[in-house]
């Protein structure tokens, strides 16, 4: 993964000098990071007196290493060759696939051959209503409203689901809105709840195959006539390989994918509440003992091992060792986030219903309330910072709490959507496919009455043209599932609708399908008036006795159905302005567009399409990567800019950009170069997390996986010889004029002021003890009741004594201006619109001084959305799994921008493409422009949040943006803040965006010394900038006492020596803090640019490259 030996100019005029490493010619170099290579280096260091990375001295102890190197050279080559083959076979790739399918077709035989646009299983659907949610507060409130009103079914598909999650805050005022209680209440009403969660890999899972009996068994299979030297060599090789694997596992390195989620807790905590709740966990990562023994032994029976073939194990045997046979998958995950209520209202995007996702627009990272513990917003394990202490033992709510008086939480920036209309039917079909696939794979044999297959019956709310019909085979096996796509499948966008031409008029041309015609097409652009939820749209007497299901809409009597519908349309002709009469006549030879959105007729709506990544292991279907196809196509056809927020940015610009395969990067390079050569203004803006994967100290061995991801990302951005910026620079253009990368970061102040000391003295109770009892109470299982010997409910009475005593002591405390009210328990409002000036916020020293109470943390970008303007001037990408293009097209979903999410045969993902035809007047490059309402308002909302141009969100004052679909998004068109972000290509906006990011970056760097940072270009720089202040203070393995002794400053706190002593230093620090507006910062593209970031590791690259790309 090191860079090219050539010195290629990078974005900032720097050069990446490849570190000169390696040994003398003829000696085993072990240069590749790998299981054998690193084992060799460790042994060589042992015998030569050098460390793992040191070169042996000339002569003396260095001589024996030549003898050892021969063995390891042979072993390394053989194992690496096998690993490469297994990696390709396990991932379903016999040969490389470019995955660049702009025509929506894939030439790989195992891939989905759908004729729908982008190769998706679903066609584009008209007549939908879609609403965006920025961050978790409003989104989860909306989900709670939908669950509260559920009457028939609740279907949830999540990577992680936390039963104890509060959908509304603060918890003490919203106990009934905890997720498990809401699902229990729904089940008690007769609602059937079906949930699918990802079944995580555990450390014990991978260690299961490292038993010493395995290498001994393999060696025993050597033919009897094998000479002693070959036998001994084979024995040493096998022992070394498996010893290295054991070392990997014991050190928790690359092959240890332990996750904080606990799907077992999710399943049992919810299923214990009511028999109407069913939870599937998938995939099963290991076969049973009989399957393993059979496949392993049978694959070895006829082989002969020798010194040359010791590593040449049959593929099935090696798969069995790692648990990676046809029916087993170790590392890939179900990553979708989907909730469907009553088959009509859907929620999807980047937010799981789990710990750590609920957040406000201002992203407070302090939650310490000394004057009233009931003001706690993030109870118990919900107060989390994965860079300090990740979620652990989540099934025991009373354990593993982060100390909120010392550490900050980590903010979570994300995007999701709510929708109704025909497109929900595709989401229902997707869920039913997944449910039945898992049921047949693992639950059918159990014969548990709780579990059963789902039947797909089309809702009245989803009767529409080209509706895939879901059917099962004779046994109901989803493998027999078929989809009928109709006689006129949806053709790619470019063939069915005129794309705006870059040099022509900027007038917005709404979507104009040509394959079919709908009655609503005659409506004027933007004339979309969804009926109120209570309206049925049909006369009750007329609708009695008629079915709203698939049969009545598409059953045999098609002619009579159309005639009856025409008569009904005439009765409401005045309400729909007569447009349906003409429309019905056009539908004579095709299915009716009869959409009962919100229970009534849908006059117009938003064209949407569901795209996904899935394959055989995840869904029982041929590989589909329609999300990647959509990304590539939208980027290629964008006219002016692309904005992307995503959790990762790992992509390839060509087939030579190994090991990465997705070609989203190639599409970006192509579009930038077209703009540059034509002299057009075009922008790509990308927002991703500063540190993906939650690592603490990046130099720590436990951070090897994060460093590997960062190296892949930098090789995609500006290093390694094939990156986006390098390719643009090689053509003679300044890449920073076209593409830039940003991160998010914020600060807060933990209220450990004199107020806490007074409350403790007044109550006689330690704050931490009272907070702990509060946490225990709000996180109790939904079915928890404590009984005494007398049978009376005790319900935590004794255990809440400290909490109660503390709260009573707070009531008698003396008043302090602004302190006793709790307003300054967080100061996150200070960098948002209308917030107080941080210099005027009061404080009273207590256990710590004010300067030591300030904390900072990266704001984790998790959104999976892309915004595309049909512009010819720019593209912006971020880490919210969202893409917005030209303020007209939005792709929003769960997919990260990496191979795992984009290639289809790895993680399963789902996303939606939204092309709202509702035009709004805007500007692009300081010229009049018409964008779409959905895309433009979402993009502006995000930009304003990042720039601090939104007012702080109040969790207890819900507005229209807290409501589910049916209540439109609220946005203040025409405000001063709106005008500032209206034109993303104007000089005034770009100056504001870049100057604010630059100033924020400078202030955070001087106050908190966060890494990564552009001043850190070598590991020596890293020690001087970070390690000397925070070394070991954030190690997860360190005890609290060790952290205090080893760290000069606490993790994430102010580097006080940069300021004057005493109050003067506080004043200087707050003066600099006052210059921070919003959370936008520059991405440090020069971070460790002179180093191999991943350094050396003990993970076997052939297996782990795909895990981290």
């Amino acid at each position: 993964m090191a860079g090219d030996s050539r010195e290629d100019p990078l974005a900032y005029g720097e050069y990446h000098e490849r570190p000169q490493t390696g040994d003398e010619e003829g000696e085993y170099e072990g240069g590749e990071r790998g299981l054998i290579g690193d084992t060799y280096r460790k042994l060589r260091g042992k015998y030569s007196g050098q460390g793992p990375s040191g070169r042996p001295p000339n002569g003396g102890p260095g001589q024996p290493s030549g003898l050892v190197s021969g063995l390891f050279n042979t072993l390394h080559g053989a194992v690496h060759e096998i690993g490469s083959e297994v990696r390709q076979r396990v991932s379903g790739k016999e040969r490389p696939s470019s995955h660049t399918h702009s025509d929506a077709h894939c030439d790989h035989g195992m891939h989905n051959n759908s004729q729908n646009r982008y190769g998706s299983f679903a066609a584009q659907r008209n007549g939908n209503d879609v609403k965006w949610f920025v961050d978790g507060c409003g989104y989860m409130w909306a989900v709670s409203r939908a669950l509260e009103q559920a009457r028939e079914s609740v279907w949830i598909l999540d990577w992680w689901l936390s039963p104890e999650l509060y959908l509304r805050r603060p918890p003490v005022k919203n106990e009934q809105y905890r997720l498990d209680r809401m699902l229990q209440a729904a089940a008690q009403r007769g609602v059937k709840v079906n949930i699918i969660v990802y079944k995580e890999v555990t450390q014990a899972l991978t260690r299961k195959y490292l038993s010493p009996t395995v290498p001994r068994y393999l060696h025993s299979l050597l033919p009897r006539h094998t000479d002693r030297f070959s036998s001994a060599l084979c024995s040493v090789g096998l022992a070394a390989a498996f010893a290295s694997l054991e070392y990997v596992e014991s050190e928790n390195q690359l092959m240890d994918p332990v996750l904080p989620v606990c799907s077992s807790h999710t399943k049992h905590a919810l299923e214990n509440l009511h028999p109407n709740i069913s939870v599937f966990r998938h995939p099963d990562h290991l076969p049973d003992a009989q399957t393993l023994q059979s496949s392993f032994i049978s694959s070895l029976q006829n082989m002969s091992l020798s010194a040359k073939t010791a590593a040449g194990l049959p593929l099935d045997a090696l798969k069995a060792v790692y648990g990676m046979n046809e029916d087993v998958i170790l590392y890939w995950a179900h990553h979708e986030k989907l909730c469907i209520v009553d088959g009509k209202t859907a929620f999807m995007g980047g937010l799981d219903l789990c710990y750590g996702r609920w957040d406000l627009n201002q992203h407070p990272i302090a939650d310490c309330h000394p004057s009233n513990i009931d003001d706690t917003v993030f109870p118990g394990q919900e107060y989390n910072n994965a860079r300090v202490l990740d979620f652990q033992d989540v099934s025991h709510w009373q354990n593993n709490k982060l100390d909120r008086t010392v550490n900050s939480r980590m903010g979570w920036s994300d995007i999701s959507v709510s929708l109704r209309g025909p497109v929900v039917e595709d989401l229902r079909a997707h869920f039913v496919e997944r449910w039945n696939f898992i049921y047949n794979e693992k639950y059918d044999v159990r014969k548990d009455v709780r579990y059963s297959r789902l039947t797909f019956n089309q809702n009245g709310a989803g009767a529409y043209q080209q509706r895939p019909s879901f059917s099962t085979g004779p046994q109901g096996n989803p493998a027999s599932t078929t989809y009928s796509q109709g006689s006129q499948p949806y053709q790619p966008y470019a063939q069915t609708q005129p794309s705006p031409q870059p040099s022509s008029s900027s007038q917005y041309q709404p979507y104009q399908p040509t394959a079919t015609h709908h009655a609503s097409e005659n409506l004027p652009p933007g004339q979309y008036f969804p009926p109120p939820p209570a309206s049925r749209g049909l006369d009750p007497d007329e609708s009695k006795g008629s079915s709203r299901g698939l049969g009545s809409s598409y059953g045999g009597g098609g002619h009579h159905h159309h005639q009856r519908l025409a008569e009904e349309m005439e009765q409401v002709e005045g309400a729909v302005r007569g447009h349906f009469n003409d429309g019905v006549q056009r539908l004579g030879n095709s299915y009716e567009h009869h959409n009962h959105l919100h229970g009534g007729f849908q006059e117009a709506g938003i064209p949407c399409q569901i795209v996904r990544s899935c394959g055989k292991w995840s869904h029982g279907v041929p590989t589909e990567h329609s999300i990647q196809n959509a990304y590539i196509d939208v980027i290629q056809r964008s006219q002016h800019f692309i904005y992307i927020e995503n959790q990762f940015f790992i992509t390839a610009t060509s087939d030579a950009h190994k090991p990465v395969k997705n070609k989203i990067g190639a599409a970006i390079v192509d579009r930038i170069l077209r703009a540059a050569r034509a002299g057009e203004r075009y922008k790509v803006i990308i927002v991703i997390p500063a540190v993906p994967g939650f690592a603490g100290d990046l130099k720590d061995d436990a951070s090897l996986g994060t460093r590997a991801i960062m190296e892949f990302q930098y090789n995609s951005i500006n290093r390694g010889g094939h990156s986006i910026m390098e390719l643009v620079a090689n053509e003679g253009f300044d890449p920073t004029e076209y593409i830039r990368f940003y991160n998010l970061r914020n600060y807060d102040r933990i209220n450990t002021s004199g107020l806490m000391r007074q409350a403790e003295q007044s109550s006689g109770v330690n704050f931490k003890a009272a907070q702990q009892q509060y946490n225990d109470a709000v996180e109790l299982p939904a079915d928890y009741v404590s009984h005494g010997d007398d049978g009376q409910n005790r319900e935590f009475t004794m255990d809440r004594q400290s909490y109660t005593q503390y709260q009573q002591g707070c009531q008698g405390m003396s008043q302090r201006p602004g302190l006793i009210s709790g307003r300054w328990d967080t100061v996150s409002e200070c960098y948002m619109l209308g917030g107080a000036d941080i210099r005027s916020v009061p404080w009273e020293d207590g256990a710590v001084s004010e300067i030591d109470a300030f904390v900072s943390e990266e704001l984790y970008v998790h959104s999976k959305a892309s915004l595309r303007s049909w512009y010819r001037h720019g593209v912006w990408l971020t880490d919210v799994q969202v893409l917005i293009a030209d303020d007209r097209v939005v792709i929003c979903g769960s997919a990260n921008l990496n191979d795992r999410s984009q290639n289809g045969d790895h993680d399963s993902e789902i996303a939606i493409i939204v092309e709202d035809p509702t035009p709004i007047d805007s500007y692009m490059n300081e010229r009049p422009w018409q964008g779409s309402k959905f895309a433009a308002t979402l993009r502006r909302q995000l930009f304003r949040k990042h720039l601090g141009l939104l007012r702080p969100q109040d969790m207890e004052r819900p507005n229209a943006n807290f409501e589910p679909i049916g209540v439109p998004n609220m946005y203040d068109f025409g405000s001063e803040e709106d005008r500032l972000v209206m034109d993303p290509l104007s000089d005034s906006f770009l100056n504001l965006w870049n100057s604010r990011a630059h100033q924020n970056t400078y202030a955070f760097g001087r106050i908190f010394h966060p890494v990564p940072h552009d001043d850190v270009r070598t590991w020596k720089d890293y020690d001087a900038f970070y390690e000397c202040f925070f070394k070991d203070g954030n190690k997860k393995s360190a005890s609290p006492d060790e952290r205090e002794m080893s760290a000069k400053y606490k993790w994430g706190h102010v580097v006080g020596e940069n300021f004057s002593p005493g109050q003067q230093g506080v004043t200087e620090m707050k003066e600099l803090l006052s210059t921070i507006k919003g959370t936008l910062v520059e991405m440090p593209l020069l971070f460790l640019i002179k180093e191999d970031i991943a350094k050396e590791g003990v993970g076997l690259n052939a297996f782990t490259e795909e895990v981290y790309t």
Side-chain angles (χ1 to χ4, degrees):
M1 287 188 283
D4 195 336
S5 59
R6 296 183 298 108
E7 294 186 339
D8 292 321
L10 297 175
Y12 295 94
E14 298 283 335
Y15 294 91
H16 181 199
E17 298 181 4
R18 183 179 182 182
Q20 298 299 314
T21 59
D23 298 329
E24 306 288 342
E25 183 177 357
E27 183 179 346
Y28 173 72
E29 183 173 344
E32 268 190 85
R33 285 187 299 277
L35 179 150
I36 303 300
D38 291 324
T39 301
Y40 166 69
R41 279 190 290 270
K42 290 179 184 296
L43 290 178
R44 180 183 63 183
K46 178 178 179 180
Y47 288 106
S48 65
Q50 299 289 333
S53 60
R55 292 177 55 84
N58 294 328
Q63 297 297 328
S65 67
L67 186 61
V68 179
S69 69
L71 166 65
F72 277 92
N73 190 26
T74 302
L75 190 58
H76 176 271
V79 173
H80 186 79
E81 181 179 350
I82 298 171
S84 299
E85 180 183 8
V86 171
R87 181 189 63 192
Q88 293 183 8
R89 298 282 189 88
V90 170
S91 60
K93 300 183 183 70
E94 296 292 340
R95 58 184 178 85
S97 177
S98 70
H99 288 94
T100 305
H101 312 306
S102 57
D103 59 353
H105 295 285
C106 182
D107 58 2
H108 198 291
M110 292 298 294
H111 281 30
N112 174 31
N113 292 318
S114 170
Q115 296 301 307
N116 293 320
R117 182 175 66 162
Y118 304 132
S120 172
F121 77 107
Q124 189 179 46
R125 314 294 181 194
N126 290 337
N128 303 287
D129 193 9
V130 189
K131 180 176 184 176
W132 49 255
F133 297 91
V134 175
D135 297 319
C137 176
Y139 173 76
M140 292 188 186
W141 184 291
V143 171
S144 75
R145 286 290 300 270
L147 294 179
E148 204 170 32
Q149 298 170 7
R151 293 296 178 266
E152 298 175 2
S153 64
V154 173
W155 295 352
I156 299 175
L157 180 57
D158 264 347
W159 176 74
W160 183 20
L161 185 147
S162 301
E164 299 82 14
L165 175 72
Y166 282 85
L167 300 179
R168 299 187 189 184
R169 310 291 168 98
V172 75
K173 297 180 181 179
N174 294 282
E175 293 183 0
Q176 71 273 33
Y177 292 107
R178 206 172 77 170
L179 182 56
D180 53 359
R181 293 177 184 137
M182 296 206 74
L183 294 176
Q184 181 183 34
Q188 291 170 347
R189 295 194 303 268
V191 176
K192 188 66 177 73
V193 179
N194 297 77
I195 299 172
I196 303 173
V197 293
Y198 164 60
K199 183 177 180 181
E200 71 281 9
V201 180
T202 65
Q203 189 176 38
L205 246 172
T206 47
R207 284 185 178 174
K208 180 176 181 179
Y209 291 109
L210 303 182
S211 167
T213 59
V214 177
R216 284 200 297 266
Y217 175 74
L218 291 174
H219 188 265
S220 70
L221 297 176
L222 286 171
R224 293 182 179 180
H225 61 269
T226 303
D227 63 273
R228 292 183 178 181
F229 177 78
S230 296
S231 177
L233 184 61
C234 181
S235 179
V236 171
L238 289 171
F242 280 85
S244 297
L245 286 173
E246 290 177 352
Y247 177 80
V248 170
E249 291 294 319
S250 64
E251 292 295 314
N252 192 25
Q253 295 283 339
L254 284 179
M255 294 192 65
D256 178 18
V258 178
L259 295 171
V261 304
C262 183
S263 60
S264 177
H265 169 65
T266 300
K267 178 181 178 67
H268 297 298
L270 293 178
E271 289 191 341
N272 288 343
L273 298 178
H274 199 278
N276 273 353
I277 301 177
S278 304
V279 181
F280 281 1
R281 300 193 300 149
H282 189 262
D284 282 339
H285 302 280
L286 298 178
D288 54 32
Q290 291 77 15
T291 302
L292 173 64
Q293 183 179 14
S294 175
S295 62
F296 184 75
I297 294 179
S298 63
S299 62
L300 294 174
Q301 283 177 343
N302 297 320
M303 70 176 293
S304 61
L305 288 176
S306 66
K308 295 183 179 180
T309 63
L313 304 178
L315 182 61
D316 289 342
L318 195 58
K319 284 182 180 179
V321 172
Y322 288 96
M324 292 188 288
N325 61 33
E326 183 179 80
D327 301 318
V328 178
I329 180 67
L330 261 180
Y331 294 117
W332 313 138
H334 290 303
H335 196 240
E336 299 107 312
K337 299 92 171 63
L338 176 64
C339 176
I340 306 174
V341 178
D342 289 340
K344 298 176 183 178
T345 301
F347 299 87
M348 63 179 296
L351 282 160
D352 288 288
L353 296 176
C354 70
Y355 285 151
R357 305 305 188 260
W358 190 99
D359 213 339
L360 295 158
N361 290 162
Q362 64 270 29
H363 302 286
I365 57 175
D367 191 34
C368 192
H369 306 272
S371 63
N372 184 9
I373 293 178
D374 285 348
D375 289 339
T376 299
V377 179
F378 304 93
Q381 294 214 33
E382 183 78 276
Y383 190 84
N384 171 260
N385 188 329
R387 305 219 312 148
V388 179
L389 178 67
D390 207 352
F391 297 107
Q392 297 180 24
D393 197 17
V394 295
S395 59
H396 296 89
W397 69 94
Q398 68 275 25
N399 295 339
N400 302 304
K401 306 298 194 306
L402 188 68
D403 186 351
R404 66 184 65 224
T405 66
V406 175
N407 302 111
S408 73
R409 59 178 290 271
M410 179 185 287
W412 194 272
S413 180
D414 220 323
I415 299 169
S416 286
V417 298
S418 177
L419 53 149
R420 296 193 76 173
V423 74
V424 176
E425 294 300 285
D426 292 320
L427 294 174
R428 292 180 66 230
H430 176 78
F431 187 91
V432 169
E433 281 184 334
R434 176 71 53 76
W435 182 272
N436 288 348
F437 167 66
I438 298 173
Y439 177 85
N440 284 305
E441 182 180 86
K442 60 181 293 186
Y443 288 96
D444 187 22
V445 297
R446 303 187 184 187
K447 305 303 179 185
D448 190 328
V449 295
R450 183 190 294 268
Y451 310 118
S452 62
R453 295 184 183 89
L454 292 178
T455 302
F456 185 82
N457 293 320
Q458 190 157 19
N459 281 332
Y464 54 94
Q465 196 268 341
Q466 293 186 15
R467 172 58 239 152
S469 59
F470 186 98
S471 63
T472 57
Q475 285 76 38
N477 193 320
S480 304
T481 298
T482 60
Y483 283 97
S484 174
Q485 299 291 352
S487 59
Q488 293 182 323
Y490 186 85
Q491 298 300 317
Y493 182 94
Q495 301 176 21
T496 63
Q497 129 183 27
S499 299
Q501 299 301 316
S503 58
S504 61
S505 171
S506 63
Q507 181 69 19
Y508 176 45
Q509 300 293 325
Y511 173 80
Q512 299 288 340
T514 58
T516 61
H517 300 279
H518 297 293
S520 59
E521 289 175 34
N522 288 333
L523 288 173
Q527 294 293 313
Y528 172 37
F529 306 99
S535 172
R536 297 298 302 170
L538 289 175
D539 182 74
D541 294 332
E542 291 290 328
S543 61
K544 283 182 179 179
S546 62
S547 172
R548 294 184 179 274
L550 180 64
S552 65
S553 298
Y554 298 107
H559 171 73
H560 297 292
H561 167 71
H562 293 303
Q563 182 178 6
R564 182 174 66 254
L565 182 58
E567 293 173 356
E568 294 170 349
M569 293 295 185
E570 291 176 359
Q571 297 177 20
V572 292
E573 181 175 2
V576 298
R577 302 174 180 85
H579 296 299
F580 273 100
N581 282 337
D582 294 335
V584 170
Q585 296 177 8
R586 292 198 203 97
L587 297 175
N589 295 322
S590 65
Y591 290 130
E592 191 76 37
H593 179 66
H594 177 192
N595 179 23
H596 296 273
L597 188 61
H598 303 302
F601 287 114
Q602 180 63 22
E603 294 182 1
I606 301 176
C608 299
Q609 183 181 11
I610 301 299
V611 287
R612 66 185 183 181
S613 295
C614 62
K616 181 179 178 182
W617 83 262
S618 61
H619 212 76
V621 297
T623 301
E624 178 181 334
H625 49 73
S626 52
I627 295 176
Q628 182 185 165
N629 294 344
Y631 265 68
I632 290 172
D633 183 62
V634 167
I635 291 169
Q636 288 176 334
R637 291 185 295 107
S638 61
Q639 290 180 297
H640 299 287
F641 83 88
I642 295 288
Y643 176 74
I644 298 177
E645 290 190 29
N646 211 278
Q647 186 178 0
F648 300 102
F649 189 82
I650 299 176
T651 184
T653 58
S654 68
D655 287 336
H657 200 163
K658 298 177 179 178
V660 186
K661 296 179 177 61
N662 80 81
K663 296 305 193 305
I664 294 173
I668 293 174
V669 171
D670 177 72
R671 184 62 193 90
I672 288 175
L673 291 178
R674 281 194 286 127
R677 290 162 182 159
E680 299 170 347
R681 195 173 203 184
Y682 182 84
K683 300 291 182 183
V684 180
I685 297 180
I686 302 170
V687 179
I688 60 178
V691 180
F694 310 124
D697 185 351
L698 289 172
K699 201 173 183 181
D700 201 53
D701 286 344
S703 300
L704 178 58
T706 297
R707 295 200 306 270
I709 294 173
M710 293 179 71
E711 182 169 292
F712 283 123
Q713 290 195 154
Y714 279 120
N715 285 347
S716 299
I717 296 170
N718 69 334
R719 306 178 193 178
H722 300 286
S723 68
I724 292 171
M725 285 187 163
E726 287 174 294
L727 294 188
V728 173
N730 288 344
E731 295 297 317
F733 303 105
D734 181 358
T736 63
E737 289 295 317
Y738 300 93
I739 182 169
R740 291 201 179 194
F741 293 81
Y742 303 86
N743 306 139
L744 302 178
R745 175 168 285 276
N746 61 338
Y747 73 87
D748 212 331
R749 190 183 68 181
I750 300 174
N751 192 358
T752 51
S753 65
L755 194 65
M756 179 179 291
R757 180 169 57 189
Q758 182 184 355
E760 290 179 332
Q761 292 173 350
S762 176
S763 65
V765 175
N766 179 271
F767 171 82
K768 293 181 181 179
Q771 180 73 52
Q772 179 66 47
Q773 290 191 355
Y774 169 90
N775 293 338
D776 292 343
V778 298
E779 291 190 297
L780 282 174
D783 59 350
Y784 178 87
V785 177
S786 177
H787 298 284
D789 295 336
D790 55 1
Q792 298 297 315
N793 293 351
R794 300 202 182 277
E795 294 190 354
F796 229 61
T797 303
M798 292 289 293
D799 295 331
R800 298 188 67 177
Q801 182 177 354
S802 295
Y803 157 77
T804 303
Q805 188 174 331
Y806 183 93
Q807 290 291 87
Q808 291 172 348
C810 290
Q811 296 176 6
M813 289 195 304
S814 60
Q815 297 294 316
R816 291 169 172 79
L819 289 177
I820 198 71
S821 67
R823 178 183 177 184
W824 301 121
D825 291 345
T826 172
V827 297
S828 55
E829 68 170 65
C830 295
Y831 47 77
M832 302 298 288
L833 179 66
D837 189 325
I838 187 62
R839 294 171 292 187
S840 65
V841 176
W843 175 266
E844 178 182 306
D845 279 349
V848 299
S849 63
E850 184 177 14
I851 197 170
D852 293 327
F854 279 93
V855 288
S856 177
E857 183 55 85
E858 74 164 311
L859 176 53
Y860 202 77
V861 185
H862 188 257
S863 28
K864 282 82 171 176
S866 304
L867 303 170
R868 168 191 173 195
S869 302
W870 299 110
Y871 315 159
R872 50 188 186 182
H873 300 276
V875 182
W876 300 0
L877 295 91
T878 67
D879 182 48
V880 221
Q881 287 96 311
V882 64
L883 181 151
I884 303 175
D886 298 336
D887 277 357
R888 290 184 176 173
V889 178
V890 175
I891 303 175
C892 180
S894 64
N896 294 312
L897 208 161
N898 58 11
D899 277 0
R900 286 190 61 136
S901 290
Q902 296 288 338
N903 287 357
D905 51 3
H906 293 174
D907 291 353
S908 62
E909 310 281 2
I910 197 160
I912 186 171
I913 306 170
V914 181
E915 298 171 83
D916 183 7
T918 308
I920 61 170
D921 293 330
S922 185
Y923 285 88
M924 188 65 62
N925 197 22
E926 301 179 354
R927 297 177 182 177
W929 177 262
Q930 281 195 336
S932 82
K933 184 177 181 181
F934 182 87
T937 55
L938 174 57
R939 195 267 304 166
R940 295 182 192 182
Q941 185 84 356
L942 289 170
F943 281 16
R944 288 174 60 179
K945 188 186 82 156
H946 299 334
L947 292 170
L949 298 176
L950 285 182
R951 294 189 179 277
Q953 194 173 22
D954 189 336
M955 73 190 89
E956 298 190 72
R957 294 184 178 180
N959 55 34
N961 291 340
F962 285 58
E963 298 295 327
I965 195 68
V967 179
N969 280 117
M970 177 181 70
Y971 186 81
D972 56 342
F973 290 103
S975 66
E976 177 60 27
E977 293 74 31
D978 177 52
R979 289 194 291 270
L980 287 173
V981 299
M982 179 183 297
D983 184 349
L985 294 188
S986 68
D987 289 338
S988 61
F989 167 77
L990 292 173
N991 289 337
L992 171 65
W993 181 271
N994 288 315
S995 63
R996 191 154 288 189
H998 181 75
Q999 177 58 37
N1000 290 351
T1001 303
Y1002 169 76
F1004 279 119
R1006 184 155 188 270
I1007 298 171
F1008 298 102
H1009 281 231
V1011 287
H1013 193 276
D1014 268 337
D1015 287 347
V1016 178
R1017 305 188 184 187
T1018 66
W1019 286 113
K1020 185 177 180 181
D1021 294 338
Y1022 184 90
D1023 292 340
F1025 186 83
Y1026 174 84
E1027 287 274 280
C1028 69
F1029 301 115
F1030 303 104
K1031 181 175 176 58
D1032 294 335
N1034 64 310
K1035 272 195 174 183
K1036 300 177 182 179
S1037 59
S1039 68
D1041 291 339
E1042 290 173 333
R1043 296 184 187 185
E1044 292 295 329
M1045 292 174 59
S1046 59
K1048 196 172 184 180
Y1049 296 99
K1050 297 183 179 69
W1051 165 259
H1053 286 247
V1054 176
V1055 179
E1057 62 192 65
N1058 289 344
F1059 303 95
S1060 301
Q1063 188 57 40
Q1064 177 61 30
V1066 175
T1067 301
E1068 294 170 359
M1069 185 270 300
K1070 293 177 79 171
E1071 188 72 29
L1072 190 53
L1073 272 182
S1074 69
T1075 66
I1076 294 176
K1077 303 296 181 185
T1079 58
L1080 188 71
V1081 294
E1082 298 169 325
M1083 181 174 180
L1085 297 184
L1086 301 180
F1087 178 65
L1088 293 178
I1089 196 167
K1090 296 181 179 180
E1091 299 281 1
D1092 179 3
I1093 296 180
K1095 298 176 67 178
E1096 59 186 47
V1098 293
L1100 182 58
N1101 274 354
F1103 294 112
T1104 57
E1105 280 178 346
E1106 291 211 5
V1107 174
Y1108 290 103
T1109 59

